[in-house]
Amino acid sequence: MTTLQRLLTLITLSALITACGQSAPSESEISKTLADSVSGKGCATSTLFKRFPIPSDMASKNGAITRPFEEMGFIAQSADGYQLTEKGQAEYDAERSGFCYTDSYQISDIKVIDEEAESDLPPALSGAWTVSFTLAPASVDEWVKNPAIIKAASRASLEEIVEPQSFNVRVAREKGKDELIAADPRFSFSPGIHFNMGW
């Protein structure tokens, strides 16, 4: 074997070892890694919905918010203020201070769109990739499509509530570990719409 052949063999082996050490993550690995970041319900929330009954004067000052929910039968006026109805209780989530219109989001269309060069990686990582994916609500309750609700919510649109959204996120592997991690502090997913309350 000539010196040139030996050199080519070494270069080829080195490239193979590097490639094996930084194999791109599979679709199922990416989905599993992102699952915790995108889990959760989509809800229509407000400080107004933190506690029931809502005092009548507070409800009247925030009529743009309370009126659609009253018309849909989620809340009703009583002697003590506005109470949750049986229909409203079925949609209400006290932990989120709101009415939830979807229980979960589904990840799809996962693709690895970029791999970081080994020389650019921080010492703790053995590989890093940018992945693209789509998130969509598993199902959406019809009541949230009410134009009065969309209008009253701050910075909300029907498309943002019901349509799939696309994201790019950096994922990585730490040295000496097989597990994939989300390594992108810029990524956040906060589903739902919010109503700014007037005091």
Side-chain angles (χ1 to χ4, degrees):
M1 191 182 274
T2 67
T3 305
L4 182 59
Q5 286 175 317
R6 272 194 225 117
L7 185 61
L8 286 172
T9 303
L10 282 172
I11 290 168
T12 304
L13 283 172
S14 174
L16 285 171
I17 289 165
T18 303
C20 290
Q22 294 188 7
S23 60
S26 68
E27 192 174 312
S28 62
E29 278 182 292
I30 297 165
S31 183
K32 185 181 171 189
T33 300
L34 296 174
D36 286 343
S37 303
V38 302
S39 65
K41 299 177 176 182
C43 307
T45 63
S46 175
T47 307
L48 197 62
F49 302 143
K50 216 168 212 168
R51 205 171 285 112
F52 285 92
I54 303 167
S56 295
D57 64 329
M58 197 64 72
S60 63
K61 284 179 192 167
N62 293 277
I65 301 169
T66 56
R67 204 170 300 110
F69 288 95
E70 186 179 11
E71 287 169 359
M72 290 186 305
F74 284 15
I75 59 174
Q77 191 165 17
S78 69
D80 299 328
Y82 283 79
Q83 297 275 15
L84 282 170
T85 63
E86 193 175 318
K87 188 177 178 183
Q89 283 172 350
E91 308 291 341
Y92 183 67
D93 188 317
E95 197 177 301
R96 289 171 173 78
S97 301
F99 299 93
C100 298
Y101 55 83
T102 188
D103 286 333
S104 62
Y105 286 80
Q106 295 175 332
I107 303 170
S108 62
D109 303 325
I110 297 170
K111 293 181 186 72
V112 176
I113 57 173
D114 187 39
E115 180 175 357
E116 290 179 33
E118 194 176 356
S119 56
D120 294 338
L121 293 172
L125 300 180
S126 62
W129 301 265
T130 301
V131 299
S132 66
F133 63 97
T134 301
L135 273 180
S139 62
V140 178
D141 293 342
E142 284 299 312
W143 63 261
V144 79
K145 299 175 185 177
N146 182 326
I149 287 178
I150 306 294
K151 187 177 177 185
S154 56
R155 299 187 306 278
S157 69
L158 185 58
E159 291 74 26
E160 288 168 337
I161 294 167
V162 302
E163 296 296 324
Q165 297 177 56
S166 297
F167 296 91
N168 290 348
V169 174
R170 182 182 188 240
V171 295
R173 282 200 181 94
E174 293 177 283
K175 277 194 175 155
K177 296 181 183 177
D178 289 334
E179 192 179 331
L180 194 69
I181 59 167
D184 195 336
R186 297 163 301 170
F187 173 67
S188 70
F189 177 64
S190 304
I193 58 175
H194 185 72
F195 303 97
N196 292 328
M197 181 177 156
W199 299 92

